[in-house]
PDB file of all heavy atoms in Angstrom:
ATOM      1  N   CYS C 285      11.866  19.721  61.167  1.00  0.00           N
ATOM      2  CA  CYS C 285      12.233  21.125  61.184  1.00  0.00           C
ATOM      3  C   CYS C 285      11.061  21.982  61.614  1.00  0.00           C
ATOM      4  O   CYS C 285      10.062  22.103  60.906  1.00  0.00           O
ATOM      5  CB  CYS C 285      12.814  21.575  59.857  1.00  0.00           C
ATOM      6  SG  CYS C 285      12.017  20.939  58.438  1.00  0.00           S
ATOM      7  N   ALA C 286      11.184  22.526  62.782  1.00  0.00           N
ATOM      8  CA  ALA C 286      10.173  23.434  63.319  1.00  0.00           C
ATOM      9  C   ALA C 286      10.889  24.650  63.883  1.00  0.00           C
ATOM     10  O   ALA C 286      11.882  24.519  64.584  1.00  0.00           O
ATOM     11  CB  ALA C 286       9.360  22.750  64.398  1.00  0.00           C
ATOM     12  N   VAL C 287      10.406  25.818  63.508  1.00  0.00           N
ATOM     13  CA  VAL C 287      11.019  27.075  63.925  1.00  0.00           C
ATOM     14  C   VAL C 287       9.887  27.967  64.419  1.00  0.00           C
ATOM     15  O   VAL C 287       8.820  27.984  63.792  1.00  0.00           O
ATOM     16  CB  VAL C 287      11.749  27.729  62.731  1.00  0.00           C
ATOM     17  CG1 VAL C 287      12.311  29.077  63.100  1.00  0.00           C
ATOM     18  CG2 VAL C 287      12.840  26.827  62.203  1.00  0.00           C
ATOM     19  N   PRO C 288      10.097  28.714  65.516  1.00  0.00           N
ATOM     20  CA  PRO C 288       9.024  29.621  65.942  1.00  0.00           C
ATOM     21  C   PRO C 288       8.761  30.688  64.885  1.00  0.00           C
ATOM     22  O   PRO C 288       9.684  31.180  64.243  1.00  0.00           O
ATOM     23  CB  PRO C 288       9.578  30.251  67.222  1.00  0.00           C
ATOM     24  CG  PRO C 288      10.691  29.379  67.653  1.00  0.00           C
ATOM     25  CD  PRO C 288      11.233  28.728  66.442  1.00  0.00           C
ATOM     26  N   SER C 289       7.498  31.033  64.710  1.00  0.00           N
ATOM     27  CA  SER C 289       7.127  32.003  63.692  1.00  0.00           C
ATOM     28  C   SER C 289       7.438  33.426  64.151  1.00  0.00           C
ATOM     29  O   SER C 289       7.328  33.744  65.335  1.00  0.00           O
ATOM     30  CB  SER C 289       5.633  31.870  63.402  1.00  0.00           C
ATOM     31  OG  SER C 289       5.183  32.977  62.686  1.00  0.00           O
ATOM     32  N   VAL C 290       7.837  34.268  63.198  1.00  0.00           N
ATOM     33  CA  VAL C 290       8.044  35.685  63.531  1.00  0.00           C
ATOM     34  C   VAL C 290       6.919  36.542  62.943  1.00  0.00           C
ATOM     35  O   VAL C 290       7.040  37.757  62.837  1.00  0.00           O
ATOM     36  CB  VAL C 290       9.414  36.201  63.042  1.00  0.00           C
ATOM     37  CG1 VAL C 290      10.541  35.498  63.759  1.00  0.00           C
ATOM     38  CG2 VAL C 290       9.560  36.066  61.545  1.00  0.00           C
ATOM     39  N   ALA C 291       5.815  35.899  62.543  1.00  0.00           N
ATOM     40  CA  ALA C 291       4.717  36.640  61.919  1.00  0.00           C
ATOM     41  C   ALA C 291       4.138  37.692  62.861  1.00  0.00           C
ATOM     42  O   ALA C 291       3.624  38.715  62.419  1.00  0.00           O
ATOM     43  CB  ALA C 291       3.629  35.679  61.463  1.00  0.00           C
ATOM     44  N   ALA C 292       4.251  37.449  64.182  1.00  0.00           N
ATOM     45  CA  ALA C 292       3.715  38.434  65.123  1.00  0.00           C
ATOM     46  C   ALA C 292       4.627  39.652  65.223  1.00  0.00           C
ATOM     47  O   ALA C 292       4.203  40.710  65.663  1.00  0.00           O
ATOM     48  CB  ALA C 292       3.536  37.789  66.493  1.00  0.00           C
ATOM     49  N   VAL C 293       5.883  39.496  64.814  1.00  0.00           N
ATOM     50  CA  VAL C 293       6.833  40.609  64.879  1.00  0.00           C
ATOM     51  C   VAL C 293       6.747  41.438  63.600  1.00  0.00           C
ATOM     52  O   VAL C 293       6.611  42.663  63.645  1.00  0.00           O
ATOM     53  CB  VAL C 293       8.262  40.074  65.098  1.00  0.00           C
ATOM     54  CG1 VAL C 293       9.227  41.222  65.279  1.00  0.00           C
ATOM     55  CG2 VAL C 293       8.306  39.142  66.297  1.00  0.00           C
ATOM     56  N   TRP C 294       6.873  40.768  62.474  1.00  0.00           N
ATOM     57  CA  TRP C 294       6.734  41.450  61.189  1.00  0.00           C
ATOM     58  C   TRP C 294       5.606  40.751  60.423  1.00  0.00           C
ATOM     59  O   TRP C 294       5.757  39.595  60.021  1.00  0.00           O
ATOM     60  CB  TRP C 294       8.012  41.334  60.366  1.00  0.00           C
ATOM     61  CG  TRP C 294       9.212  41.952  60.994  1.00  0.00           C
ATOM     62  CD1 TRP C 294       9.483  43.284  61.092  1.00  0.00           C
ATOM     63  CD2 TRP C 294      10.317  41.276  61.585  1.00  0.00           C
ATOM     64  NE1 TRP C 294      10.693  43.463  61.719  1.00  0.00           N
ATOM     65  CE2 TRP C 294      11.219  42.249  62.028  1.00  0.00           C
ATOM     66  CE3 TRP C 294      10.626  39.939  61.791  1.00  0.00           C
ATOM     67  CZ2 TRP C 294      12.418  41.935  62.660  1.00  0.00           C
ATOM     68  CZ3 TRP C 294      11.807  39.624  62.416  1.00  0.00           C
ATOM     69  CH2 TRP C 294      12.690  40.618  62.852  1.00  0.00           C
ATOM     70  N   PRO C 295       4.492  41.425  60.161  1.00  0.00           N
ATOM     71  CA  PRO C 295       3.407  40.742  59.430  1.00  0.00           C
ATOM     72  C   PRO C 295       3.825  40.282  58.036  1.00  0.00           C
ATOM     73  O   PRO C 295       3.218  39.370  57.477  1.00  0.00           O
ATOM     74  CB  PRO C 295       2.289  41.791  59.368  1.00  0.00           C
ATOM     75  CG  PRO C 295       2.842  43.050  59.902  1.00  0.00           C
ATOM     76  CD  PRO C 295       4.106  42.760  60.628  1.00  0.00           C
ATOM     77  N   ALA C 296       4.868  40.883  57.457  1.00  0.00           N
ATOM     78  CA  ALA C 296       5.331  40.427  56.153  1.00  0.00           C
ATOM     79  C   ALA C 296       5.718  38.957  56.194  1.00  0.00           C
ATOM     80  O   ALA C 296       5.690  38.263  55.178  1.00  0.00           O
ATOM     81  CB  ALA C 296       6.524  41.270  55.703  1.00  0.00           C
ATOM     82  N   ALA C 297       6.074  38.456  57.376  1.00  0.00           N
ATOM     83  CA  ALA C 297       6.515  37.072  57.498  1.00  0.00           C
ATOM     84  C   ALA C 297       5.382  36.080  57.270  1.00  0.00           C
ATOM     85  O   ALA C 297       5.646  34.905  57.030  1.00  0.00           O
ATOM     86  CB  ALA C 297       7.132  36.842  58.868  1.00  0.00           C
ATOM     87  N   ILE C 298       4.126  36.540  57.338  1.00  0.00           N
ATOM     88  CA  ILE C 298       3.007  35.608  57.143  1.00  0.00           C
ATOM     89  C   ILE C 298       3.163  34.912  55.793  1.00  0.00           C
ATOM     90  O   ILE C 298       3.107  33.690  55.689  1.00  0.00           O
ATOM     91  CB  ILE C 298       1.659  36.364  57.208  1.00  0.00           C
ATOM     92  CG1 ILE C 298       1.435  36.952  58.597  1.00  0.00           C
ATOM     93  CG2 ILE C 298       0.514  35.418  56.861  1.00  0.00           C
ATOM     94  CD1 ILE C 298       0.186  37.795  58.713  1.00  0.00           C
ATOM     95  N   TYR C 299       3.401  35.702  54.754  1.00  0.00           N
ATOM     96  CA  TYR C 299       3.544  35.109  53.425  1.00  0.00           C
ATOM     97  C   TYR C 299       4.885  34.412  53.243  1.00  0.00           C
ATOM     98  O   TYR C 299       4.959  33.325  52.683  1.00  0.00           O
ATOM     99  CB  TYR C 299       3.373  36.192  52.349  1.00  0.00           C
ATOM    100  CG  TYR C 299       2.003  36.188  51.728  1.00  0.00           C
ATOM    101  CD1 TYR C 299       0.882  35.967  52.504  1.00  0.00           C
ATOM    102  CD2 TYR C 299       1.827  36.394  50.366  1.00  0.00           C
ATOM    103  CE1 TYR C 299      -0.372  35.965  51.955  1.00  0.00           C
ATOM    104  CE2 TYR C 299       0.568  36.393  49.800  1.00  0.00           C
ATOM    105  CZ  TYR C 299      -0.533  36.176  50.593  1.00  0.00           C
ATOM    106  OH  TYR C 299      -1.767  36.158  50.031  1.00  0.00           O
ATOM    107  N   PHE C 300       5.955  35.030  53.724  1.00  0.00           N
ATOM    108  CA  PHE C 300       7.274  34.415  53.554  1.00  0.00           C
ATOM    109  C   PHE C 300       7.324  33.037  54.210  1.00  0.00           C
ATOM    110  O   PHE C 300       7.849  32.078  53.655  1.00  0.00           O
ATOM    111  CB  PHE C 300       8.355  35.313  54.166  1.00  0.00           C
ATOM    112  CG  PHE C 300       8.662  36.547  53.367  1.00  0.00           C
ATOM    113  CD1 PHE C 300       8.850  37.771  53.992  1.00  0.00           C
ATOM    114  CD2 PHE C 300       8.790  36.486  51.990  1.00  0.00           C
ATOM    115  CE1 PHE C 300       9.156  38.913  53.259  1.00  0.00           C
ATOM    116  CE2 PHE C 300       9.102  37.617  51.246  1.00  0.00           C
ATOM    117  CZ  PHE C 300       9.277  38.831  51.883  1.00  0.00           C
ATOM    118  N   GLU C 301       6.773  32.947  55.416  1.00  0.00           N
ATOM    119  CA  GLU C 301       6.838  31.673  56.134  1.00  0.00           C
ATOM    120  C   GLU C 301       5.947  30.631  55.478  1.00  0.00           C
ATOM    121  O   GLU C 301       6.297  29.456  55.433  1.00  0.00           O
ATOM    122  CB  GLU C 301       6.449  31.876  57.610  1.00  0.00           C
ATOM    123  CG  GLU C 301       7.541  32.610  58.366  1.00  0.00           C
ATOM    124  CD  GLU C 301       7.218  32.830  59.833  1.00  0.00           C
ATOM    125  OE1 GLU C 301       6.055  32.625  60.218  1.00  0.00           O
ATOM    126  OE2 GLU C 301       8.134  33.217  60.579  1.00  0.00           O
ATOM    127  N   ARG C 302       4.813  31.082  54.958  1.00  0.00           N
ATOM    128  CA  ARG C 302       3.968  30.122  54.233  1.00  0.00           C
ATOM    129  C   ARG C 302       4.709  29.569  53.027  1.00  0.00           C
ATOM    130  O   ARG C 302       4.596  28.394  52.694  1.00  0.00           O
ATOM    131  CB  ARG C 302       2.679  30.804  53.768  1.00  0.00           C
ATOM    132  CG  ARG C 302       1.583  30.790  54.792  1.00  0.00           C
ATOM    133  CD  ARG C 302       0.351  31.469  54.263  1.00  0.00           C
ATOM    134  NE  ARG C 302      -0.326  30.689  53.240  1.00  0.00           N
ATOM    135  CZ  ARG C 302      -1.379  31.136  52.551  1.00  0.00           C
ATOM    136  NH1 ARG C 302      -1.855  32.336  52.784  1.00  0.00           N
ATOM    137  NH2 ARG C 302      -1.942  30.387  51.645  1.00  0.00           N
TER     138      ARG C 302
END
Side-chain angles (χ1 to χ4, degrees):
Chain C
C285 41
V287 176
S289 166
V290 295
V293 185
W294 298 285
I298 296 176
Y299 260 39
F300 286 138
E301 288 180 348
R302 273 180 72 186

